[in-house]
Amino acid sequence: MLKNLTERRKQRNWSLQETADQLGIAKSTYAGYESGYRTPSLLSLAEIADLFETTVDSLIGRESTKQERIEITDLNLSPYQLSLDQQLLSSDEIIDIIAFLRTKRTLKSSE
Amino acid sequence: MLKNLTERRKQRNWSLQETADQLGIAKSTYAGYESGYRTPSLLSLAEIADLFETTVDSLIGRESTKQERIEITDLNLSPYQLSLDQQLLSSDEIIDIIAFLRTKRTLKSSE
DNA sequence: GAAATAGTCCGCGAAACGCGTATGTCTATT
DNA sequence: AATAGACATACGCGTTTCGCGGACTATTTC
């Protein structure tokens, strides 16, 4: 069940047919998504998100977790960049931090 | 095709079986997602995103245009927490990082 | 009212899913 | 060498769900 799909479309004054045409699918298919009778393929879902300028997470109603955990080793896979004193951390600095922290944690655990 | 699914799992040192168990699906099903041979249902996809603490958009490779900058000195004011190897950084560790990096930067700039 | 437009519902054939099972690889043990 | 266990990969089946075209209904326009 996609969230607010009808509202998004109506805000743009698009008909079911116009919207379906833009997505390259049948009108009845698109209508099925709005009514919840059908679930789009992932590809279609991404296209719908593009068309309505939103995220897939938003369309499927996934709440953004309040306290978001960022794994330092995954930084390059994430949409985040760390900075210190307004200066972005270089990848070398990130590597240094990882090594530094791991060393500290090893020493700490052997006490 | 889900992005970096294998890498995400391996970083957590989970086997295919463990991961599938957490998701409540068959191992071969989960393996199919990693290899790209199968596409999960939306419900499963949301669960996978939850498990790996990421967004569906990220999993399907929709680029988030936001490259969000996180200032380390402001971490306690932000909705983010940093972790290393799945273990949250303590406030002492954050302080250590700040000191460590500032020292490195000072040395670097005096060369 | 008639015609055009927009929205809803249905059932079919095709596609894709989740599953259990079989097989392969690697490591450790006997 | 043979065996066992853990993990990963591949396959094919039955079931489910999809996208589609078209029929039908509702709304708008003239």
Side-chain angles (χ1 to χ4, degrees), chain A residues 17-73:
Chain A
Q17 186 68 66
E18 286 178 274
T19 309
D21 287 344
Q22 287 179 82
L23 294 166
I25 57 175
K27 179 180 69 169
S28 60
T29 301
Y30 179 73
Y33 303 156
E34 286 198 3
S35 67
Y37 179 65
R38 287 273 190 256
T39 300
S41 67
L42 274 194
L43 185 60
S44 290
L45 189 57
E47 285 171 356
I48 291 166
D50 284 341
L51 186 65
F52 290 121
E53 297 177 308
T54 188
T55 62
V56 171
D57 291 276
S58 173
L59 283 179
I60 64 177
R62 280 188 85 239
E63 288 293 341
S64 174
T65 53
K66 284 198 190 152
Q67 275 288 319
E68 191 157 346
R69 183 185 289 219
I70 301 166
E71 170 60 42
I72 298 179
T73 57

Side-chain angles (χ1 to χ4, degrees), chain B residues 8-56:
Chain B
R8 290 172 203 262
R9 172 175 61 83
K10 287 184 174 176
Q11 270 177 346
R12 289 163 170 76
N13 291 308
W14 291 340
S15 65
L16 286 175
Q17 186 68 65
E18 284 179 276
T19 309
D21 288 344
Q22 289 179 82
L23 293 166
I25 56 175
K27 178 181 71 169
S28 59
T29 301
Y30 178 73
Y33 303 155
E34 286 198 3
S35 68
Y37 180 64
R38 287 274 188 255
T39 300
S41 68
L42 272 194
L43 185 61
S44 290
L45 189 58
E47 285 172 356
I48 291 166
D50 284 342
L51 185 64
F52 290 121
E53 297 177 306
T54 187
T55 62
V56 171

